[in-house]
Amino acid sequence: MDRPQTDPFDAAIDEIGDGWSFLVTREAFFGARRFEAFREQLDIPRARLSERLRHLVEIGVFERTPYEERPPRYEYRYTPKGLALYPIAVALMQWGDCWRSGASGPPVRLVHGPCGRRLRAAMCCTDCGDPLGVDSLEWPERGAPVRPGPGRRWRRIASVVDVSRRVDSVGRALEVMGDRWTMLVMHEALRGNLRFGELQDALGIASNVLTDRLERLAAEGLLERLGGVARGSEGYALTRAGGDMLPALLGVRAWGVRWCKGTRRTAPRHDCGARTHGALVCRDCGGAVEARGTRYESLRA
């Protein structure tokens, strides 16, 4: 019997869906290449950083190249698979700019190199070019869930902001979304599974873990509880903040389709009739959002 194809979102989250992996890859986009450069920005134990770097090399996000022989020291540079994470980071940053920057505004601005304007990105249909929204997508059948092995049961970071010396909106978004189960629950909510029982059936998640994640997402303002009569019938509705997480999580799903082995190669169907994973583009010029075509500018002294 053929093995069932895994869900691309699950596969992607199995590879990169913990807070430390997101923070390490973010620092690489800011130019970190060497072990101590990562440590300068992240309050991370040396053993844990070594573990995450080794994992990111094993899955092909980084390549490790020597820069010193005695003692042996290495640099970690993005592969094409790693560079393809950039639109996800930008989408998380824009969510944080909108929903978590507060009265002081975002600390960093992105400038789109091809047009020279402040980057305002949108996740758009690759066929008709219109922005993708929660209500404009028909989702394909879900693939099989991924069950990580014992060595991959990484714990949630208690506070992403506290362990990161870099203040930006990616960290603030990860404060809300930076663990495997939260992302899986939120992805199912965007797919339209908004009842406790539906979520539990889709994810195979323990009741206490699901209750915890739903309560957190409601407290953070991404979901609104509607209530229910029978046990397991509690319903939820997406808030505007929750719906605005669509570009980031669509980006994760598209990355899983492109770069993770054994996944279902299906895409949501847009209102225009085309199946699309979406593409993150500049609202002003329509150009693709890529790491090598975007620069950062600090907005604070």
Side-chain angles (χ1 to χ4, degrees):
M1 179 182 294
D2 293 336
R3 294 179 61 187
Q5 292 179 315
T6 57
D7 190 82
F9 189 85
D10 284 46
I13 291 301
D14 185 53
E15 290 198 356
I16 59 167
D18 72 287
W20 283 124
S21 292
F22 270 111
L23 289 172
V24 169
T25 55
R26 178 194 64 173
E27 289 308 318
F29 283 125
F30 276 104
R33 298 286 181 269
R34 301 178 180 180
F35 190 94
E36 293 304 328
F38 291 106
R39 287 265 298 163
E40 285 176 7
Q41 293 296 333
L42 299 174
D43 186 14
I44 179 172
R46 299 183 72 88
R48 188 165 297 163
L49 177 57
S50 295
E51 175 194 42
R52 291 307 189 273
L53 289 171
R54 182 169 57 252
H55 167 69
L56 292 167
V57 170
E58 288 174 353
I59 66 172
V61 166
F62 288 153
E63 61 179 1
R64 191 176 78 152
T65 57
Y67 71 89
E68 188 174 296
E69 292 184 0
R70 296 182 181 179
R73 300 183 189 276
Y74 300 89
E75 290 185 337
Y76 298 86
R77 295 183 176 272
Y78 272 124
T79 63
K81 180 177 180 177
L83 288 172
L85 292 169
Y86 188 72
I88 301 169
V90 171
L92 286 170
M93 183 175 182
Q94 288 208 152
W95 188 91
D97 285 349
C98 179
W99 294 103
R100 290 295 185 272
S101 61
S104 59
V108 173
R109 174 171 61 193
L110 294 177
V111 176
H112 192 226
C115 66
R117 297 180 181 179
R118 180 174 181 173
L119 177 62
R120 298 180 306 120
M123 184 67 78
C124 293
C125 174
T126 50
D127 191 74
C128 71
D130 287 347
L132 301 179
V134 174
D135 296 332
S136 71
L137 295 175
E138 177 187 338
W139 293 85
E141 181 181 352
R142 200 183 194 285
V146 174
R147 305 298 183 203
R152 297 283 286 283
R153 296 186 185 279
W154 294 327
R155 293 183 179 179
R156 178 187 176 94
I157 300 174
S159 173
V160 171
V161 172
D162 287 346
V163 302
S164 175
R165 297 182 180 92
R166 188 181 303 281
V167 178
D168 73 351
S169 295
V170 175
R172 289 167 176 162
L174 291 177
E175 190 80 356
V176 179
M177 295 293 294
D179 81 282
R180 174 178 179 267
W181 280 123
T182 301
M183 288 195 172
L184 288 169
V185 169
M186 196 64 204
H187 179 244
E188 285 303 308
L190 290 168
R191 287 171 53 92
N193 292 329
L194 287 160
R195 291 193 174 277
F196 190 99
E198 293 172 341
L199 290 163
Q200 193 167 34
D201 289 345
L203 298 173
I205 182 175
S207 295
N208 63 321
V209 177
L210 179 55
T211 297
D212 175 76
R213 297 308 191 271
L214 288 170
E215 288 178 352
R216 289 185 183 183
L217 287 167
E220 292 287 356
L222 278 72
L223 296 177
E224 179 183 3
R225 185 174 178 182
L226 302 178
V229 178
R231 179 176 175 83
S233 69
E234 298 95 330
Y236 293 81
L238 283 166
T239 63
R240 281 187 59 201
D244 280 355
M245 195 58 79
L246 179 69
L249 299 196
L250 266 180
V252 172
R253 189 182 192 281
W255 189 85
V257 169
R258 174 66 180 84
W259 296 103
C260 298
K261 297 179 181 179
T263 61
R264 287 178 59 87
R265 305 291 171 174
T266 57
R269 188 182 299 280
H270 186 228
D271 279 349
C272 71
R275 288 201 176 274
T276 180
H277 300 295
L280 200 68
V281 300
C282 173
R283 289 180 181 268
D284 289 308
C285 71
V289 175
E290 299 175 337
R292 289 169 178 159
T294 308
R295 69 178 187 272
Y296 294 85
E297 292 182 351
S298 176
L299 296 177
R300 298 178 190 169

